[in-house]
PDB file of all heavy atoms in Angstrom:
ATOM      1  N   GLY A  20     121.449 116.301 -10.238  1.00 93.00           N
ATOM      2  CA  GLY A  20     121.411 115.311 -11.342  1.00 93.00           C
ATOM      3  C   GLY A  20     120.534 115.853 -12.409  1.00 93.00           C
ATOM      4  O   GLY A  20     120.303 117.127 -12.587  1.00 93.00           O
ATOM      5  N   PRO A  21     120.162 115.020 -13.357  1.00 96.00           N
ATOM      6  CA  PRO A  21     119.316 115.456 -14.515  1.00 96.00           C
ATOM      7  C   PRO A  21     117.972 115.919 -14.017  1.00 96.00           C
ATOM      8  O   PRO A  21     117.410 115.428 -12.964  1.00 96.00           O
ATOM      9  CB  PRO A  21     119.203 114.203 -15.387  1.00 96.00           C
ATOM     10  CG  PRO A  21     119.530 113.028 -14.482  1.00 96.00           C
ATOM     11  CD  PRO A  21     120.446 113.540 -13.353  1.00 96.00           C
ATOM     12  N   PRO A  22     117.288 116.799 -14.782  1.00 96.00           N
ATOM     13  CA  PRO A  22     116.004 117.336 -14.424  1.00 96.00           C
ATOM     14  C   PRO A  22     114.985 116.215 -14.364  1.00 96.00           C
ATOM     15  O   PRO A  22     114.923 115.372 -15.228  1.00 96.00           O
ATOM     16  CB  PRO A  22     115.680 118.408 -15.396  1.00 96.00           C
ATOM     17  CG  PRO A  22     116.647 118.168 -16.536  1.00 96.00           C
ATOM     18  CD  PRO A  22     117.754 117.352 -16.033  1.00 96.00           C
ATOM     19  N   SER A  23     114.006 116.255 -13.341  1.00 95.00           N
ATOM     20  CA  SER A  23     112.986 115.321 -13.225  1.00 95.00           C
ATOM     21  C   SER A  23     111.795 116.014 -12.775  1.00 95.00           C
ATOM     22  O   SER A  23     111.775 117.183 -12.367  1.00 95.00           O
ATOM     23  CB  SER A  23     113.445 114.255 -12.264  1.00 95.00           C
ATOM     24  OG  SER A  23     113.703 114.850 -10.966  1.00 95.00           O
ATOM     25  N   PHE A  24     110.681 115.266 -12.718  1.00 95.00           N
ATOM     26  CA  PHE A  24     109.417 115.774 -12.218  1.00 95.00           C
ATOM     27  C   PHE A  24     108.590 114.613 -11.667  1.00 95.00           C
ATOM     28  O   PHE A  24     108.883 113.502 -11.960  1.00 95.00           O
ATOM     29  CB  PHE A  24     108.606 116.514 -13.357  1.00 95.00           C
ATOM     30  CG  PHE A  24     108.236 115.638 -14.474  1.00 95.00           C
ATOM     31  CD1 PHE A  24     107.056 115.076 -14.572  1.00 95.00           C
ATOM     32  CD2 PHE A  24     109.248 115.500 -15.553  1.00 95.00           C
ATOM     33  CE1 PHE A  24     106.724 114.281 -15.733  1.00 95.00           C
ATOM     34  CE2 PHE A  24     108.901 114.706 -16.575  1.00 95.00           C
ATOM     35  CZ  PHE A  24     107.645 114.130 -16.722  1.00 95.00           C
ATOM     36  N   ARG A  25     107.628 114.931 -10.876  1.00 95.00           N
ATOM     37  CA  ARG A  25     106.635 113.987 -10.302  1.00 95.00           C
ATOM     38  C   ARG A  25     105.395 113.993 -11.172  1.00 95.00           C
ATOM     39  O   ARG A  25     104.917 115.009 -11.585  1.00 95.00           O
ATOM     40  CB  ARG A  25     106.389 114.293  -8.935  1.00 95.00           C
ATOM     41  CG  ARG A  25     107.587 114.045  -7.967  1.00 95.00           C
ATOM     42  CD  ARG A  25     107.201 114.042  -6.462  1.00 95.00           C
ATOM     43  NE  ARG A  25     108.252 113.629  -5.686  1.00 95.00           N
ATOM     44  CZ  ARG A  25     108.603 112.464  -5.314  1.00 95.00           C
ATOM     45  NH1 ARG A  25     107.868 111.424  -5.752  1.00 95.00           N
ATOM     46  NH2 ARG A  25     109.630 112.235  -4.535  1.00 95.00           N
ATOM     47  N   MET A  26     104.827 112.784 -11.305  1.00 95.00           N
ATOM     48  CA  MET A  26     103.559 112.649 -12.119  1.00 95.00           C
ATOM     49  C   MET A  26     102.644 111.596 -11.495  1.00 95.00           C
ATOM     50  O   MET A  26     103.185 110.558 -10.982  1.00 95.00           O
ATOM     51  CB  MET A  26     103.947 112.220 -13.590  1.00 95.00           C
ATOM     52  CG  MET A  26     102.775 112.214 -14.422  1.00 95.00           C
ATOM     53  SD  MET A  26     103.267 112.006 -16.184  1.00 95.00           S
ATOM     54  CE  MET A  26     103.366 110.235 -16.193  1.00 95.00           C
ATOM     55  N   GLY A  27     101.401 111.866 -11.545  1.00 95.00           N
ATOM     56  CA  GLY A  27     100.513 110.839 -11.128  1.00 95.00           C
ATOM     57  C   GLY A  27     100.040 111.024  -9.638  1.00 95.00           C
ATOM     58  O   GLY A  27     100.707 111.752  -8.908  1.00 95.00           O
ATOM     59  N   PRO A  28      99.060 110.276  -9.211  1.00 94.00           N
ATOM     60  CA  PRO A  28      98.623 110.387  -7.825  1.00 94.00           C
ATOM     61  C   PRO A  28      99.593 109.960  -6.805  1.00 94.00           C
ATOM     62  O   PRO A  28      99.628 110.441  -5.576  1.00 94.00           O
ATOM     63  CB  PRO A  28      97.281 109.471  -7.835  1.00 94.00           C
ATOM     64  CG  PRO A  28      97.468 108.562  -8.954  1.00 94.00           C
ATOM     65  CD  PRO A  28      98.269 109.283  -9.970  1.00 94.00           C
ATOM     66  N   ARG A  29     100.499 109.038  -7.190  1.00 93.00           N
ATOM     67  CA  ARG A  29     101.455 108.535  -6.232  1.00 93.00           C
ATOM     68  C   ARG A  29     102.799 109.345  -6.337  1.00 93.00           C
ATOM     69  O   ARG A  29     103.807 109.056  -5.616  1.00 93.00           O
ATOM     70  CB  ARG A  29     101.755 107.070  -6.386  1.00 93.00           C
ATOM     71  CG  ARG A  29     100.555 106.295  -6.015  1.00 93.00           C
ATOM     72  CD  ARG A  29     100.515 104.896  -6.507  1.00 93.00           C
ATOM     73  NE  ARG A  29     101.584 104.088  -6.055  1.00 93.00           N
ATOM     74  CZ  ARG A  29     101.885 102.875  -6.450  1.00 93.00           C
ATOM     75  NH1 ARG A  29     101.206 102.293  -7.357  1.00 93.00           N
ATOM     76  NH2 ARG A  29     102.923 102.182  -5.910  1.00 93.00           N
ATOM     77  N   GLY A  30     102.843 110.340  -7.299  1.00 93.00           N
ATOM     78  CA  GLY A  30     104.048 111.176  -7.374  1.00 93.00           C
ATOM     79  C   GLY A  30     105.178 110.444  -7.871  1.00 93.00           C
ATOM     80  O   GLY A  30     106.346 110.660  -7.413  1.00 93.00           O
ATOM     81  N   ARG A  31     105.015 109.593  -8.929  1.00 93.00           N
ATOM     82  CA  ARG A  31     106.178 108.877  -9.504  1.00 93.00           C
ATOM     83  C   ARG A  31     107.198 109.773 -10.160  1.00 93.00           C
ATOM     84  O   ARG A  31     106.807 110.697 -10.872  1.00 93.00           O
ATOM     85  CB  ARG A  31     105.569 107.925 -10.542  1.00 93.00           C
ATOM     86  CG  ARG A  31     106.611 106.998 -11.168  1.00 93.00           C
ATOM     87  CD  ARG A  31     106.019 106.017 -12.051  1.00 93.00           C
ATOM     88  NE  ARG A  31     107.096 105.264 -12.655  1.00 93.00           N
ATOM     89  CZ  ARG A  31     106.935 104.320 -13.659  1.00 93.00           C
ATOM     90  NH1 ARG A  31     105.708 104.242 -14.186  1.00 93.00           N
ATOM     91  NH2 ARG A  31     107.897 103.714 -14.187  1.00 93.00           N
ATOM     92  N   VAL A  32     108.432 109.586  -9.884  1.00 94.00           N
ATOM     93  CA  VAL A  32     109.467 110.424 -10.424  1.00 94.00           C
ATOM     94  C   VAL A  32     109.761 110.065 -11.878  1.00 94.00           C
ATOM     95  O   VAL A  32     109.861 108.860 -12.177  1.00 94.00           O
ATOM     96  CB  VAL A  32     110.764 110.263  -9.648  1.00 94.00           C
ATOM     97  CG1 VAL A  32     111.936 111.118 -10.239  1.00 94.00           C
ATOM     98  CG2 VAL A  32     110.631 110.698  -8.192  1.00 94.00           C
ATOM     99  N   MET A  33     109.709 111.068 -12.799  1.00 96.00           N
ATOM    100  CA  MET A  33     109.808 110.838 -14.212  1.00 96.00           C
ATOM    101  C   MET A  33     110.979 111.585 -14.765  1.00 96.00           C
ATOM    102  O   MET A  33     111.325 112.747 -14.224  1.00 96.00           O
ATOM    103  CB  MET A  33     108.503 111.233 -14.927  1.00 96.00           C
ATOM    104  CG  MET A  33     107.232 110.567 -14.377  1.00 96.00           C
ATOM    105  SD  MET A  33     107.201 108.805 -14.721  1.00 96.00           S
ATOM    106  CE  MET A  33     106.912 108.833 -16.435  1.00 96.00           C
ATOM    107  N   TYR A  34     111.631 111.128 -15.843  1.00 97.00           N
ATOM    108  CA  TYR A  34     112.705 111.776 -16.474  1.00 97.00           C
ATOM    109  C   TYR A  34     112.348 111.749 -17.985  1.00 97.00           C
ATOM    110  O   TYR A  34     112.007 110.627 -18.501  1.00 97.00           O
ATOM    111  CB  TYR A  34     114.000 111.073 -16.304  1.00 97.00           C
ATOM    112  CG  TYR A  34     114.525 111.175 -14.860  1.00 97.00           C
ATOM    113  CD1 TYR A  34     114.089 110.187 -13.910  1.00 97.00           C
ATOM    114  CD2 TYR A  34     115.395 112.098 -14.502  1.00 97.00           C
ATOM    115  CE1 TYR A  34     114.604 110.231 -12.578  1.00 97.00           C
ATOM    116  CE2 TYR A  34     115.844 112.191 -13.126  1.00 97.00           C
ATOM    117  CZ  TYR A  34     115.493 111.252 -12.253  1.00 97.00           C
ATOM    118  OH  TYR A  34     115.947 111.307 -10.955  1.00 97.00           O
ATOM    119  N   ARG A  35     112.412 112.775 -18.674  1.00 97.00           N
ATOM    120  CA  ARG A  35     112.299 112.820 -20.113  1.00 97.00           C
ATOM    121  C   ARG A  35     113.604 112.405 -20.772  1.00 97.00           C
ATOM    122  O   ARG A  35     114.693 112.839 -20.394  1.00 97.00           O
ATOM    123  CB  ARG A  35     111.926 114.197 -20.627  1.00 97.00           C
ATOM    124  CG  ARG A  35     110.538 114.630 -20.144  1.00 97.00           C
ATOM    125  CD  ARG A  35     110.116 115.917 -20.852  1.00 97.00           C
ATOM    126  NE  ARG A  35     108.833 116.289 -20.475  1.00 97.00           N
ATOM    127  CZ  ARG A  35     107.639 115.953 -21.027  1.00 97.00           C
ATOM    128  NH1 ARG A  35     107.685 115.107 -21.973  1.00 97.00           N
ATOM    129  NH2 ARG A  35     106.522 116.381 -20.501  1.00 97.00           N
ATOM    130  N   ILE A  36     113.517 111.624 -21.797  1.00 96.00           N
ATOM    131  CA  ILE A  36     114.763 111.103 -22.526  1.00 96.00           C
ATOM    132  C   ILE A  36     115.517 112.336 -23.029  1.00 96.00           C
ATOM    133  O   ILE A  36     116.777 112.393 -22.964  1.00 96.00           O
ATOM    134  CB  ILE A  36     114.382 110.137 -23.602  1.00 96.00           C
ATOM    135  CG1 ILE A  36     113.913 108.835 -22.997  1.00 96.00           C
ATOM    136  CG2 ILE A  36     115.650 109.852 -24.516  1.00 96.00           C
ATOM    137  CD1 ILE A  36     113.461 107.727 -23.932  1.00 96.00           C
ATOM    138  N   GLU A  37     114.849 113.328 -23.621  1.00 97.00           N
ATOM    139  CA  GLU A  37     115.490 114.507 -24.128  1.00 97.00           C
ATOM    140  C   GLU A  37     116.277 115.217 -23.015  1.00 97.00           C
ATOM    141  O   GLU A  37     117.360 115.703 -23.320  1.00 97.00           O
ATOM    142  CB  GLU A  37     114.490 115.499 -24.756  1.00 97.00           C
ATOM    143  CG  GLU A  37     113.680 114.847 -25.962  1.00 97.00           C
ATOM    144  CD  GLU A  37     112.477 114.050 -25.557  1.00 97.00           C
ATOM    145  OE1 GLU A  37     112.183 114.041 -24.306  1.00 97.00           O
ATOM    146  OE2 GLU A  37     111.921 113.482 -26.399  1.00 97.00           O
ATOM    147  N   ALA A  38     115.714 115.309 -21.842  1.00 96.00           N
ATOM    148  CA  ALA A  38     116.340 115.962 -20.707  1.00 96.00           C
ATOM    149  C   ALA A  38     117.604 115.172 -20.248  1.00 96.00           C
ATOM    150  O   ALA A  38     118.669 115.714 -19.965  1.00 96.00           O
ATOM    151  CB  ALA A  38     115.401 116.195 -19.534  1.00 96.00           C
ATOM    152  N   LEU A  39     117.486 113.785 -20.290  1.00 97.00           N
ATOM    153  CA  LEU A  39     118.638 112.990 -19.963  1.00 97.00           C
ATOM    154  C   LEU A  39     119.784 113.217 -20.984  1.00 97.00           C
ATOM    155  O   LEU A  39     120.970 113.360 -20.645  1.00 97.00           O
ATOM    156  CB  LEU A  39     118.282 111.514 -19.880  1.00 97.00           C
ATOM    157  CG  LEU A  39     117.238 111.171 -18.857  1.00 97.00           C
ATOM    158  CD1 LEU A  39     116.961 109.663 -18.870  1.00 97.00           C
ATOM    159  CD2 LEU A  39     117.810 111.421 -17.430  1.00 97.00           C
ATOM    160  N   ASP A  40     119.457 113.223 -22.271  1.00 96.00           N
ATOM    161  CA  ASP A  40     120.441 113.362 -23.342  1.00 96.00           C
ATOM    162  C   ASP A  40     121.094 114.791 -23.216  1.00 96.00           C
ATOM    163  O   ASP A  40     122.328 114.898 -23.370  1.00 96.00           O
ATOM    164  CB  ASP A  40     119.843 113.263 -24.676  1.00 96.00           C
ATOM    165  CG  ASP A  40     119.421 111.736 -25.007  1.00 96.00           C
ATOM    166  OD1 ASP A  40     120.101 110.826 -24.386  1.00 96.00           O
ATOM    167  OD2 ASP A  40     118.624 111.566 -25.841  1.00 96.00           O
ATOM    168  N   ALA A  41     120.287 115.792 -22.910  1.00 96.00           N
ATOM    169  CA  ALA A  41     120.846 117.142 -22.785  1.00 96.00           C
ATOM    170  C   ALA A  41     121.740 117.192 -21.493  1.00 96.00           C
ATOM    171  O   ALA A  41     122.813 117.843 -21.663  1.00 96.00           O
ATOM    172  CB  ALA A  41     119.767 118.238 -22.695  1.00 96.00           C
ATOM    173  N   TRP A  42     121.419 116.477 -20.429  1.00 94.00           N
ATOM    174  CA  TRP A  42     122.191 116.586 -19.231  1.00 94.00           C
ATOM    175  C   TRP A  42     123.513 115.835 -19.510  1.00 94.00           C
ATOM    176  O   TRP A  42     124.607 116.306 -19.076  1.00 94.00           O
ATOM    177  CB  TRP A  42     121.407 115.824 -18.114  1.00 94.00           C
ATOM    178  CG  TRP A  42     122.176 115.906 -16.794  1.00 94.00           C
ATOM    179  CD1 TRP A  42     122.237 117.003 -15.962  1.00 94.00           C
ATOM    180  CD2 TRP A  42     122.912 114.881 -16.239  1.00 94.00           C
ATOM    181  NE1 TRP A  42     122.958 116.614 -14.864  1.00 94.00           N
ATOM    182  CE2 TRP A  42     123.376 115.307 -14.979  1.00 94.00           C
ATOM    183  CE3 TRP A  42     123.193 113.505 -16.576  1.00 94.00           C
ATOM    184  CZ2 TRP A  42     124.183 114.565 -14.237  1.00 94.00           C
ATOM    185  CZ3 TRP A  42     123.955 112.739 -15.784  1.00 94.00           C
ATOM    186  CH2 TRP A  42     124.448 113.248 -14.598  1.00 94.00           C
ATOM    187  N   ILE A  43     123.449 114.745 -20.269  1.00 93.00           N
ATOM    188  CA  ILE A  43     124.701 114.039 -20.626  1.00 93.00           C
ATOM    189  C   ILE A  43     125.695 114.914 -21.431  1.00 93.00           C
ATOM    190  O   ILE A  43     126.854 115.026 -21.203  1.00 93.00           O
ATOM    191  CB  ILE A  43     124.399 112.662 -21.426  1.00 93.00           C
ATOM    192  CG1 ILE A  43     123.751 111.736 -20.540  1.00 93.00           C
ATOM    193  CG2 ILE A  43     125.615 112.202 -22.034  1.00 93.00           C
ATOM    194  CD1 ILE A  43     123.121 110.471 -21.242  1.00 93.00           C
ATOM    195  N   SER A  44     125.129 115.678 -22.403  1.00 91.00           N
ATOM    196  CA  SER A  44     125.850 116.701 -23.210  1.00 91.00           C
ATOM    197  C   SER A  44     126.540 117.666 -22.347  1.00 91.00           C
ATOM    198  O   SER A  44     127.705 118.035 -22.556  1.00 91.00           O
ATOM    199  CB  SER A  44     125.017 117.183 -24.302  1.00 91.00           C
ATOM    200  OG  SER A  44     124.612 116.298 -25.267  1.00 91.00           O
ATOM    201  N   GLU A  45     125.784 118.167 -21.313  1.00 90.00           N
ATOM    202  CA  GLU A  45     126.308 119.197 -20.374  1.00 90.00           C
ATOM    203  C   GLU A  45     127.415 118.671 -19.635  1.00 90.00           C
ATOM    204  O   GLU A  45     128.518 119.335 -19.465  1.00 90.00           O
ATOM    205  CB  GLU A  45     125.234 119.596 -19.525  1.00 90.00           C
ATOM    206  CG  GLU A  45     124.175 120.506 -20.067  1.00 90.00           C
ATOM    207  CD  GLU A  45     123.024 120.813 -19.098  1.00 90.00           C
ATOM    208  OE1 GLU A  45     123.113 120.484 -17.929  1.00 90.00           O
ATOM    209  OE2 GLU A  45     121.891 121.223 -19.575  1.00 90.00           O
ATOM    210  N   GLN A  46     127.367 117.408 -19.190  1.00 88.00           N
ATOM    211  CA  GLN A  46     128.451 116.751 -18.459  1.00 88.00           C
ATOM    212  C   GLN A  46     129.669 116.570 -19.350  1.00 88.00           C
ATOM    213  O   GLN A  46     130.818 116.749 -18.840  1.00 88.00           O
ATOM    214  CB  GLN A  46     127.934 115.361 -17.914  1.00 88.00           C
ATOM    215  CG  GLN A  46     126.776 115.454 -17.017  1.00 88.00           C
ATOM    216  CD  GLN A  46     126.842 116.472 -15.907  1.00 88.00           C
ATOM    217  OE1 GLN A  46     127.729 116.407 -15.148  1.00 88.00           O
ATOM    218  NE2 GLN A  46     126.003 117.407 -15.878  1.00 88.00           N
ATOM    219  N   GLU A  47     129.472 116.297 -20.581  1.00 84.00           N
ATOM    220  CA  GLU A  47     130.613 116.079 -21.560  1.00 84.00           C
ATOM    221  C   GLU A  47     131.341 117.405 -21.685  1.00 84.00           C
ATOM    222  O   GLU A  47     132.560 117.466 -21.791  1.00 84.00           O
ATOM    223  CB  GLU A  47     130.214 115.542 -22.892  1.00 84.00           C
ATOM    224  CG  GLU A  47     129.679 114.067 -22.832  1.00 84.00           C
ATOM    225  CD  GLU A  47     129.152 113.577 -24.136  1.00 84.00           C
ATOM    226  OE1 GLU A  47     128.583 114.364 -24.889  1.00 84.00           O
ATOM    227  OE2 GLU A  47     129.176 112.399 -24.400  1.00 84.00           O
ATOM    228  N   GLN A  48     130.506 118.400 -21.866  1.00 82.00           N
ATOM    229  CA  GLN A  48     131.134 119.730 -22.094  1.00 82.00           C
ATOM    230  C   GLN A  48     131.877 120.275 -20.862  1.00 82.00           C
ATOM    231  O   GLN A  48     132.838 121.067 -20.982  1.00 82.00           O
ATOM    232  CB  GLN A  48     130.018 120.771 -22.512  1.00 82.00           C
ATOM    233  CG  GLN A  48     129.500 120.500 -23.936  1.00 82.00           C
ATOM    234  CD  GLN A  48     130.562 120.481 -24.975  1.00 82.00           C
ATOM    235  OE1 GLN A  48     131.370 121.345 -25.049  1.00 82.00           O
ATOM    236  NE2 GLN A  48     130.508 119.422 -25.762  1.00 82.00           N
TER     237      GLN A  48
END
């Protein structure tokens, strides 16, 4: 899926909006 990372003491999964938009563009291409 789109790139993600963990952040914080509980390891919350995060996604950057720029990464989501880039991933969407890759899927379109």
